[in-house]
Amino acid sequence: MKKTKLSFDKPLYVLAPLAGFTDLPFRSVVKKFGADLTVSEMLSSNALAHGSQKTLHMLEKSSLEDPYSVQIAGADVDIVRRAVEILNEQDGIDIIDLNCGCPVPKVVGHGSGSSLLLDLPLMGDIIKTIKNTSNKNMTSVKIRLGFEKKNHVDIAKVVQDSGADFIAVHGRTRTGKFKAAVDYDAIREIKEAVNIPVIANGDIDSYEKAKWVLEHTGADGVMIGRGAVGAPWIFHQLKTGTEHIEQSLKHEIIMEHFDKMIEFYGQHGVAMFRKHTHTYAKGYRGASVLRNEVNSIDDIATYRSVIDDFFKNSEMTL
């Protein structure tokens, strides 16, 4: 089996899984322009174990995605084992990641996601099950700092002792969801407490913030999710060490994203790209006019022509 091309010698720049956004087209774009690692949208181990075709389709990856991580959620050891056995049959996956951080009520209600932070022995058993069953090169875990109260060091040590190769830390508790201030000090405390690599996550929305988080936490990398939506070039900035992004490169990336959406989804990609167009247009002169215009366009060529002209010629407002 080939070795994962994943090195922690330099800071690792990772695209966080984000439901509804980090699909194959978006992942392929950030990978092309600088991300070191991409992660699938979170998949239900139950759906995998029961052979859901929709879920299996979500495993599909771009040829650029090497290495590639698949994130699963689950709360039952036997079902997780079966899900991993299904993943073992799939080529092109280098890492299986266990989600222990999702705060969404539907996920938490099933005992998955951040619910596992309430039962560290079970969390440890599931990590060990993945590690012992998987034929992939690495096992990783995504955590939060705790459920209601922080017990982040205890959580991280269980992750390490259960055999995970690295850990991604979202610097909030489950109760903090996505609103509370991110505790980067706690991420640093985890980094100081464990021997496995630590990836920092949470509110990293600019080149400057990413560099600061790396320095402040001592983390081995940063994981960026919402901060990359509407600004996937953040990975290019980090990879090249250049804070300024030329308008021409932004234009190229946006058009690449649109083309990949059409390639993957066909005609339906037009409607799906509207939310991305709205986000990309923020800060541009004429953004509201563009948003109104694309909302009524269904034709692929017309849509492409309109956004191509807009992002090539419009200027940012000061």
Side-chain angles (χ1 to χ4, degrees):
M1 186 181 289
K2 72 180 179 67
K3 287 196 172 183
T4 305
K5 298 170 187 172
L6 193 62
S7 169
F8 292 95
D9 294 339
K10 296 177 181 176
L12 204 69
Y13 305 123
V14 186
L15 176 67
L18 205 59
F21 286 94
T22 55
D23 53 7
L24 185 151
F26 190 75
R27 296 196 313 267
S28 67
V29 169
V30 299
K31 185 66 180 177
K32 179 176 179 178
F33 290 96
D36 294 307
L37 176 64
T38 49
V39 187
S40 74
E41 294 179 79
M42 184 180 72
L43 307 179
S44 159
S45 57
N46 197 54
L48 277 171
H50 288 91
S52 161
Q53 288 304 305
K54 180 183 176 184
T55 303
L56 289 171
H57 182 63
M58 289 172 70
L59 290 173
E60 196 174 328
K61 68 169 200 170
S62 160
S63 59
L64 297 174
E65 292 184 275
D66 182 21
Y68 178 54
S69 174
V70 169
Q71 186 183 79
I72 62 173
D76 182 288
V77 170
D78 291 332
I79 290 176
V80 169
R81 182 183 295 110
R82 179 66 191 133
V84 173
E85 289 169 352
I86 298 291
L87 294 177
N88 284 348
E89 298 167 7
Q90 306 287 324
D91 293 331
I93 299 170
D94 302 285
I95 301 160
I96 296 179
D97 181 72
L98 177 65
N99 183 299
C100 298
C102 181
V104 175
K106 186 169 82 168
V107 175
V108 171
H110 290 147
S112 303
S114 54
S115 258
L116 290 174
L117 304 179
L118 294 170
D119 190 343
L120 297 189
L122 175 60
M123 183 186 80
D125 286 344
I126 292 176
I127 297 167
K128 289 172 188 171
T129 298
I130 296 171
K131 185 72 177 176
N132 294 335
T133 308
S134 172
N135 65 2
K136 310 308 179 189
N137 291 316
M138 302 181 94
T139 299
S140 62
V141 181
K142 173 92 182 285
I143 67 166
R144 284 182 173 242
L145 302 179
F147 196 84
E148 291 180 342
K149 296 180 180 177
K150 295 172 192 169
N151 57 328
H152 48 289
V153 171
D154 290 340
I155 295 166
K157 286 185 173 177
V158 170
V159 170
Q160 173 179 263
D161 295 346
S162 301
D165 296 288
F166 65 96
I167 183 172
V169 183
H170 183 95
R172 295 180 172 98
T173 62
R174 188 267 170 171
T175 308
K177 296 196 177 173
F178 296 103
K179 298 284 176 107
V182 175
D183 188 343
Y184 299 107
D185 291 344
I187 298 177
R188 183 175 64 212
E189 288 163 7
I190 288 176
K191 174 60 186 169
E192 291 168 351
V194 298
N195 299 317
I196 57 174
V198 174
I199 309 295
N201 172 241
D203 284 6
I204 301 171
D205 55 6
S206 68
Y207 171 84
E208 302 88 349
K209 183 71 172 284
K211 301 300 276 187
W212 179 86
V213 168
L214 282 168
E215 184 177 344
H216 184 80
T217 63
D220 301 278
V222 287
M223 177 178 272
I224 303 171
R226 290 179 299 164
V229 174
W233 39 82
I234 190 171
F235 291 102
H236 177 82
Q237 291 174 288
L238 289 166
K239 202 69 179 173
T240 60
T242 53
E243 186 175 344
H244 178 68
I245 288 286
E246 294 290 338
Q247 185 61 37
S248 58
L249 180 60
K250 289 184 179 181
H251 172 244
E252 179 187 350
I253 292 173
I254 292 167
M255 298 313 298
E256 171 98 7
H257 188 188
F258 176 77
D259 290 339
K260 290 294 182 186
M261 289 286 281
I262 300 304
E263 186 181 311
F264 191 64
Y265 293 110
Q267 175 67 41
H268 186 50
V270 172
M272 295 183 72
F273 198 74
R274 287 187 187 124
K275 65 184 178 186
H276 292 290
T277 304
H278 294 177
T279 311
Y280 282 132
K282 284 180 181 174
Y284 281 86
R285 296 187 191 281
S288 60
V289 174
L290 174 73
R291 284 194 288 267
N292 289 335
E293 185 175 1
V294 298
N295 283 347
S296 59
I297 299 175
D298 293 312
D299 179 70
I300 293 172
T302 305
Y303 197 107
R304 192 184 195 286
S305 176
V306 167
I307 62 170
D308 186 34
D309 178 67
F310 181 85
F311 290 109
K312 186 186 291 179
N313 299 310
S314 293
E315 297 178 350
M316 298 290 287
T317 57
L318 297 178

